[in-house]
Amino acid sequence: QVQLVESGGGLVQPGGSLRLSCAASRSTFSIFDMAWYRQAPGTQREFVAGISSSHSTNYSDSVKGRFTISRDNAQRTVYLQMNSLKPEDTAVYYCNKIPIASGYWGQGTQVTVSS
């Protein structure tokens, strides 16, 4: 079992930036394809960005060109750099593996984009 701990969220104005981190408890993390997901109030959790064990990336259309996912296997951490943030990016952000492992969900980190 791998524990995932998200951090880095906060309140930011529209157009601002944040960098989220997802720290894994075990080195086996390095073999996983990983992703960031988000859930806004009243909506289902949705895929945001993914990164393979070989560092290939993909993004949802809503964040493409604004967000960048990366990973540091030595630090057992996945990052999400979020630029040009919009109010519709407001959500709780989670990381998990691909495919999702239900037992790996952490507490998430709240991102609020508001003026």
Side-chain angles (χ1 to χ4, degrees), residues 21-75:
S21 298
C22 166
S25 61
R26 299 184 65 177
S27 60
T28 48
F29 149 90
S30 65
I31 67 173
F32 295 154
D33 296 343
M34 296 293 296
W36 284 95
Y37 304 84
R38 68 185 181 187
Q39 187 169 20
T43 70
Q44 291 191 344
R45 201 167 298 185
E46 63 174 359
F47 170 85
V48 175
I51 185 165
S52 72
S53 57
S54 60
H55 297 246
S56 297
T57 60
N58 65 304
Y59 301 89
S60 68
D61 288 343
S62 62
V63 308
K64 197 172 296 183
R66 300 188 297 121
F67 291 10
T68 303
I69 189 171
S70 61
R71 67 191 297 164
D72 184 336
N73 288 337
Q75 298 295 322

Side-chain angles (χ1 to χ4, degrees), residues 10 17 30 49 53 102 107:
S17 298
S30 65
S53 57
S102 59
Q107 294 299 307

Side-chain angles (χ1 to χ4, degrees), residues 2-8 20-26 29 34 36 75-79 93-96 104-109:
V2 174
Q3 291 184 318
L4 302 172
V5 179
E6 302 92 347
S7 63
L20 306 184
S21 298
C22 166
S25 61
R26 299 184 65 177
F29 149 90
M34 296 293 296
W36 284 95
Q75 298 295 322
R76 300 198 303 269
T77 302
V78 179
Y79 302 98
Y93 284 71
Y94 304 86
C95 62
N96 204 311
Y104 284 19
W105 292 117
Q107 294 299 307
T109 185

